[in-house]
Amino acid sequence: MATAVLERDMAKQMGRPKGDRNDVSTRIDKRVVGMARVVATHRGITIAELLSDTLEGPIEKAYLELMAKADKEAKKGGAK
């Protein structure tokens, strides 16, 4: 009995260590994931790292543009 508990506790500790990332699940086209897997493997990184790094710049830019537009509209007094 104690061996089973010990093995279960050790299994919980195995796996990738937690980093500073805060990952979530999402759905992405299977074809894109397949290509991303090849690229990520070639670079020696995870698919999550590849996609996060690739998407971060364009999404941050679009987000900042949207926030600037919302701020500008709020200053005019009529947010749309």
Side-chain angles (χ1 to χ4, degrees):
M1 181 81 155
T3 305
V5 172
L6 179 60
E7 288 175 1
R8 185 187 69 219
D9 290 344
M10 288 177 64
K12 286 182 183 178
Q13 294 173 3
M14 295 177 70
R16 233 179 291 160
K18 299 265 184 195
D20 60 348
R21 296 168 42 98
N22 190 13
D23 293 346
V24 296
S25 296
T26 189
R27 292 180 180 260
I28 299 175
D29 185 89
K30 190 175 189 176
R31 185 181 67 84
V32 174
V33 172
M35 290 185 293
R37 180 176 289 118
V38 172
V39 174
T41 300
H42 177 74
R43 294 183 182 178
I45 60 175
T46 66
I47 295 172
E49 289 173 305
L50 174 69
L51 295 177
S52 292
D53 291 348
T54 302
L55 295 172
E56 184 177 22
I59 290 175
E60 185 173 359
K61 179 183 176 193
Y63 178 81
L64 292 173
E65 288 172 356
L66 183 62
M67 292 299 104
K69 181 180 177 184
D71 188 45
K72 184 177 179 181
E73 290 174 356
K75 287 180 181 176
K76 279 200 273 186
K80 292 184 180 182

